[in-house]
Amino acid sequence: MGDMNRNSNLYIEAARVLHDIYEKKGSIKTCVHRSSFQEKQMLTALVSQTLRFAKVLETVVKRTKLLENNRLLWNDGMLARVLLYDFMIGPGLYKPGRLKVVMVKNKEIITSEFDRLLTAYGVNECSELPSSTTEALPRYVRVNLIKTSVDEVIDSFVDKGWTLLHVPTDFSSFKEVCQNLDENQFLRDFHLDDLLVFPAHTDFHDSRLVQDGTVILQDKASCLPAHILSPPEGAVVVDSCAAPGNKTSHMASLMGNKGTIYAFDHTIDPYVCQCEDRIEVLQERMEGAGVSCKVARCMDFLRVKTDSQTYRDVEYVMVDPSCSGSGIVSRLDSLTNDDASVSQRRLGQLHKLQAQILRHAFSFPKVKKIVYSTCSINEEENEQVCEEIYEKFKERFKIKKVMKNWPERGRKGYQKSDRYLRASPTATLTNGFFVACFKRRKMKQEVGSMESGMDQEEVSSEDDQGSQKQNGMDDEEKEENFKLNVRCTMRLHVRQQREYHVTTSFPDTRMSYQLALKTSPILSNLNVTKDDTLMAWSKSNTSICNNSFTGFAHLFAKLEGVLLDSSFSAGPQGGERIESVLNQPEEKEFLTLKPGYFQIRCDNITGDMEYKFQHGDHLVKWMAALKPVSKMPAHQEVDKITIAVTRYEYANVYHTMTDWYNAFLMLLFFNVKSFTANILFIDSHPQGGLDSIWTTLFGGYVRAGQLTKPQYFKNLIWNIQGYKSPMFRHNLPSIPHIEIFRLFFLAKHNVQVTKRLNCEKLHITFLWRRDYVAHPRNPRGIISRKAKNEKELEDSVHKLYPNHCIVSLRTENMSMHDQLGVIANTDILVGMHGAGLTLALFLPKNAGLIELYPKYWSVDNAHFKAIARWRNLQYTQWQNMDNKMEFPDYFTYIPPSVIQNLLSNIIGLMCKPYKD
């Protein structure tokens, strides 16, 4: 009985998927992925083959009047098609089942109609009837260079009986060979080195090479954009409209999987999970292809702040926006355009959106190459978009003619027609396609030095073949380039004059503060009064040396008019790339300070300079390095208030959060209205993934080890040590201004706080721990407290709560902005004990936290239980007590029933007030 239901469900589910596809809700893979049917491969095969013979099946349904005469088909033409396919063309219907009864009952009339079609088309078997493919295009197979080489894949096919043909020397001959390939013949592509060409209709969907991501089934035209963009290894790339991900994985393949690809795709509401979302398909394809250099971001590209620190190094942008799809030719792995003409209104809407996306791509400060592509044949979506945008940016960018041996160019009548690339079934044996390449012009730079760090976005030396020669340009380009060189040179001189006056070692943060005020009104409206803790600190103060030094509560201090002289210190500068200092002992990451490192003017030099800080605090050593002087030596002055910090466990987000929180309390305590300050790292740690967040929160930082001249600070705050932070006192019922800090942190990252609890559709986020190299003492990157059965747990929860949104979050390759975007929209956070659970600080009100412990880790580590208490979150925990559930490399198996029970309990607590 179970098999019968399963088989009936297969046909019903296949019909539902077909409806979704014809309603343009996604591709085959996207729609199958959304289905609850478990055997995805079986469902994919049935849907694909039904689409392949769609026209034949539709004809039979109409001529036999199956829908009119059989109520069990519910007047569903798609259901009739899938049943007909399996009954007459495929492997035969499963048995038993009520749907089979319909087919058997009508067998005579169905067979008679298929016999008529066989005679009409002159074929002997139903499987030989014409498919819905309007053009017999070759089957293109792209080799995934992340996992293998082209030669290895060729050898694999040859071993299986395929014959490799030689590639002709001219494209006309190549086309002829491709159109006449015999079964089991293939050859390399004429233009693209990583592409193989097979006979039309060759079905590789069951091939092991396809299933394990060694090769990708991708039309040749769709492979063109990545080859034309051609980002090098280590590049920083943006894929603006990435899902389902073939172009993203192709770029990663060409980059050797080295670098960063920010892959964006749009949902209804950025960062709010849509459970059956295109981004899930993207993530799955990237994992299947072995892509590790991407950062998938579930948000609208038009909302990306291109001038943020995160994207400051982006140089290559792929723009492949939504389009009419008018160039797509039906294939087993893509849906046929239904031949319905796209309305002019629809084309106008598409043109506007495409132009907006392409225009936004030009706003990345360092971008030097942008490739625009569509699978449309409409000029409104192609030449007209590019010409419109080119007019706005032609002073800085040109339209580059690429692939000069390509046979088809843009439609005539446009300014740059000969530089565009078009593809079509007749000219190139591909789907209809359009590609344009925008390239930053190479500007002549005036001789003379420029301030380091100055914006040089107008200057680029990159070119397809290296340094471009002037005589390689046409007359139009030469004239444009001369004019633009003059204009650019003038702008560069203006920048030099404007920025030359900046002499301090610290960055000017006024602009970033003004931007923060515009985007985050919460910062401009904060009027925080000191609570009991801050009041107690204020009362417990001691001033010495004419009030040049004031200590508070033996936790922190403020120094007015202090000189920092780095000649009285020893140790590395810090800031090195982590790869260069692997296995470095931790003691080498701290400066040794001698008396005179800090100097303050003091009229009574013989007076008592002692002030007691708490035992074990590095401020004790700072105090020993503080020296009174009667006269200050020559120095550079820093007007802006500065907070000095020594960081411990600098790569750990929890311990760094205590430092951020402490620095925030200093801004409150000393009434710094701007909520910005210079940060001075008095340590020698190498680069860390959290360093840039100091800039986001406070405006900028500098490493003390890199200061070469004495610096005079008008106001220098010695920050509270992280281990002495109120956040580190887990037994406290509350800590000062934790909600205000939360709002400050979110506002500085431009993350809005709008989530409200909806018990009918909860957002449940699993936060999984992954191995990664965070600091030099762990060169293998092996970390503890990892779940062994992540996918099993996610699937079990999805099955238990099909209406809720289940998200899997892995933070190692996500920016803090993106992490916060997910967490701020999460109702229940589930994860193993680890620093990542610090994000619970930013959960919405009325949220819940589930913390999991392995057997070898004590639940007395109550960091996140304390955060839940301070935030008034629902909290529950579980610890494994079974040795059999612990596995090598610190993996713990967590029974799905445990998670289900924990979720049931915490949901009951969270939602009870709304049910009562």
Side-chain angles (χ1 to χ4, degrees), residues 142-148 194 213 216 218 222-223 225-227 229-239 242 245-263 282 285-296 316 318:
R142 174 170 64 82
V143 177
N144 181 4
L145 302 178
I146 295 173
K147 292 193 171 187
T148 187
D194 58 351
I216 312 292
Q218 186 172 353
S222 179
C223 296
H227 271 283
L229 188 64
S230 191
E233 287 188 4
V236 181
V237 183
V238 161
D239 192 346
N246 277 348
K247 296 180 183 67
T248 313
S249 68
H250 195 184
M251 287 190 291
S253 175
L254 296 176
M255 293 164 63
N257 212 18
K258 297 176 182 178
T260 302
I261 302 176
Y262 293 108
L282 171 67
R285 287 202 183 182
M286 296 306 99
E287 291 176 10
V291 177
S292 60
C293 66
K294 61 89 179 64
V295 181
Y316 299 86
M318 174 78 71

Side-chain angles (χ1 to χ4, degrees), residues 752-765:
Q752 297 182 356
V753 185
T754 58
K755 182 75 169 69
R756 295 182 181 274
L757 184 65
N758 177 5
C759 290
E760 299 300 317
K761 189 175 182 63
L762 294 171
H763 289 221
I764 303 170
T765 298

